[in-house]
Amino acid sequence: MEANHESIKFIQKYLIDSKTIAKNIFGPLGTFNNFEFQKPVTRRIDFIFISDDITINKYAVLSDSIDCRYPSNHFPVYLKLTFNN
């Protein structure tokens, strides 16, 4: 689901999209590549939602490839975080 989907908006009423509060952001805008290496990846359909007692130090979308091929049609989303408790 993309950010404007009603289910994502519902989740955002209770949890925070980690990308929106990250101190550092790395990688492409999107997470869904559809195995299309020659096209920009702009469609974001993978999210990590968190509670407000977590600090996001880094948010990254990892876009590694081998021989111009992706290992998956989704890029992994990586967080480096700190629990504030």
Side-chain angles (χ1 to χ4, degrees):
M1 293 174 272
E2 294 182 76
N4 61 351
H5 191 278
E6 64 185 62
S7 296
I8 297 295
K9 290 181 180 183
F10 177 79
I11 293 169
Q12 288 175 326
K13 290 179 183 180
Y14 304 97
L15 296 170
I16 302 163
D17 177 0
S18 58
K19 184 177 183 178
T20 64
I21 62 166
K23 293 180 180 180
N24 296 296
I25 298 174
F26 175 82
L29 295 175
T31 61
F32 179 69
N33 62 57
N34 201 32
F35 293 113
E36 297 175 319
F37 187 81
Q38 303 303 329
K39 293 184 179 179
V41 180
T42 58
R43 230 177 126 198
R44 182 173 178 233
I45 62 172
D46 300 285
F47 299 83
I48 299 176
F49 292 101
I50 60 163
S51 60
D52 61 0
D53 58 346
I54 297 173
T55 298
I56 303 302
N57 302 306
K58 181 184 280 187
Y59 169 98
V61 175
L62 308 178
S63 58
D64 292 354
S65 63
I66 297 173
D67 298 327
C68 298
R69 295 180 69 187
Y70 296 126
S72 173
N73 62 343
H74 291 250
F75 290 144
V77 178
Y78 167 86
L79 294 182
K80 185 172 184 181
L81 56 85
T82 304
F83 293 99
N84 299 327
N85 300 19

